[in-house]
Amino acid sequence: MTIKAATMATLALAASLACAAPAVAQDLGPNVRKLADGVYAFVGENFNSNAGIVLTQDGVVLIDSGHNPVESRKLMEVVKKLTPMPVRLLIDTEPHPDHTTGHFVFSPPAAIIAAEGAGDSMRSRERGDPERIQKLAAASPEMRAALDGYRFVTPHVEYHQKMALKVGERTFELMYLKGVHSESDTAVWLPKERVLFSAAGIVVDQINPLRPFVSIPDILAAGKTMKSLNPAHVVPGHGAPGTVKIFEDSEKYYALLLERVGRLAKEGKSLDQIKKEVRMPEYENWAAQERFPTNVEAAYRAVKGG
């Protein structure tokens, strides 16, 4: 959708004034963390994807829709405990299914916003695995029940590079992050509250899968940009929310990886040899060690200028 359409959607949101006050938040469960007045993180278990809940005078804004439909339903129950107001907006930090399958739980009425290319990415994945929902439903009776009424919902508005949204008393600044994780990553910054939803390009206590189009220099550049905002709270796409230390830890990991891969490359070692030899014992406690070879490949591309 065009920027003009995005502007119209934003104006429509601003015009939909409502005066209902949020309910008193009680018993929200162990996965919910309050970050600021009316701003919450819904933290996925075992590195499942995180989501955000932001209450405004004009309704609720969600950041992502939960790891899967079961989690999306839980997220909706938390919203209902917080406020009787509807979910007006859902902002995607990425198009992957572990952030977007649950769109149907919230839309309608929620309008979905993502970076340019998100819809194409989602449609491509669906074409590549047409039985995905059937397989997901077979995972458990709970999952099958959570998928009741499922529809494939792509973003209604796709922005280019940057977008600012005014919803009630809140300002949301959306920033496209190039080459960090998916084809269409978005960081969401609430400047007044100093809360940053930093997407999945930088995660916590785990190895990230670095796809062939992902660039370590781009990850480091994105981390530097987000760190410069000086957020009080950082909510990554996966892992425990924290502070700018999340970016600092990532910088140290990639700097060390680039150093070790670069040294072996200068010795004339091939990528296959480097993948067998390079080790990062300082990070052996991080989850998802099976993804490490993709990190070595990305580091090799970086040091070889590819």
Side-chain angles (χ1 to χ4, degrees):
M1 196 172 287
T2 65
I3 294 299
K4 180 179 178 181
T7 303
M8 291 174 64
T10 305
L11 291 174
L13 281 167
S16 62
L17 298 175
C19 59
V24 176
Q26 291 183 353
D27 190 27
L28 298 177
N31 297 81
V32 181
R33 298 190 188 182
K34 183 175 181 179
L35 306 175
D37 286 343
V39 182
Y40 302 84
F42 183 87
V43 183
E45 297 180 3
N46 298 320
F47 299 109
N48 283 350
S49 62
N50 299 327
I53 304 168
V54 183
L55 310 183
T56 85
Q57 294 170 350
D58 289 351
V60 180
V61 176
L62 293 183
I63 317 298
D64 289 334
S65 59
H67 191 80
N68 56 46
V70 170
E71 296 302 296
S72 301
R73 302 276 184 192
K74 293 177 182 178
L75 180 61
M76 178 61 95
E77 289 306 309
V78 173
V79 171
K80 289 178 178 178
K81 289 179 180 179
L82 287 168
T83 176
M85 298 186 72
V87 177
R88 297 288 191 188
L89 268 186
L90 198 167
I91 303 170
D92 286 339
T93 65
E94 64 167 88
H96 290 168
D98 58 331
H99 296 254
T100 61
T101 301
H103 282 174
F104 75 100
V105 175
F106 306 100
S107 180
I112 300 169
I113 296 179
E116 192 173 39
D120 285 345
S121 173
M122 291 175 66
R123 285 184 285 270
S124 176
R125 279 178 172 264
E126 290 300 296
R127 289 193 297 268
D129 188 4
E131 302 298 317
R132 183 177 71 86
I133 296 303
Q134 291 87 333
K135 289 184 286 188
L136 187 62
S140 69
E142 183 184 24
M143 187 67 73
R144 181 176 295 278
L147 279 163
D148 184 46
Y150 171 78
R151 293 174 301 106
F152 177 60
V153 183
T154 55
H156 303 102
V157 175
E158 294 190 4
Y159 73 93
H160 179 70
Q161 296 299 325
K162 291 184 179 181
M163 185 178 190
L165 295 168
K166 181 74 173 178
V167 187
E169 74 282 24
R170 310 275 192 189
T171 298
F172 300 80
E173 296 180 1
L174 281 55
M175 299 169 283
Y176 167 66
L177 305 176
K178 171 183 173 290
V180 301
H181 179 68
S182 76
E183 302 85 350
S184 178
D185 292 284
T186 290
V188 183
W189 170 234
L190 281 69
K192 181 181 177 181
E193 297 81 3
R194 293 179 58 215
V195 174
L196 176 67
F197 293 87
S198 62
I202 296 174
V203 292
V204 177
D205 293 338
Q206 61 180 307
I207 304 294
N208 222 358
L210 303 189
R211 297 170 178 84
F213 57 81
V214 170
S215 157
I216 291 177
D218 283 340
I219 293 173
L220 294 173
K224 183 177 180 180
T225 296
M226 290 188 284
K227 184 179 175 181
S228 71
L229 297 171
N230 192 30
H233 300 279
V234 177
V235 184
H238 298 262
T243 65
V244 294
K245 185 177 182 296
I246 289 174
F247 304 125
E248 293 165 355
D249 289 347
S250 184
E251 289 170 7
K252 292 176 183 176
Y253 167 77
Y254 286 118
L256 190 57
L257 178 63
L258 289 170
E259 175 189 323
R260 290 178 180 171
V261 171
R263 183 175 65 249
L264 292 173
K266 285 181 180 178
E267 293 173 5
K269 301 288 180 66
S270 69
L271 174 58
D272 286 341
Q273 289 174 315
I274 293 172
K275 288 169 77 170
K276 292 176 182 178
E277 292 183 27
V278 72
R279 296 289 182 270
M280 298 283 279
E282 301 89 344
Y283 300 94
E284 62 185 8
N285 62 322
W286 279 15
Q289 291 289 322
E290 71 278 3
R291 298 169 173 172
F292 184 64
T294 70
N295 286 216
V296 179
E297 291 164 3
Y300 188 79
R301 291 195 298 271
V303 300
K304 299 294 282 188

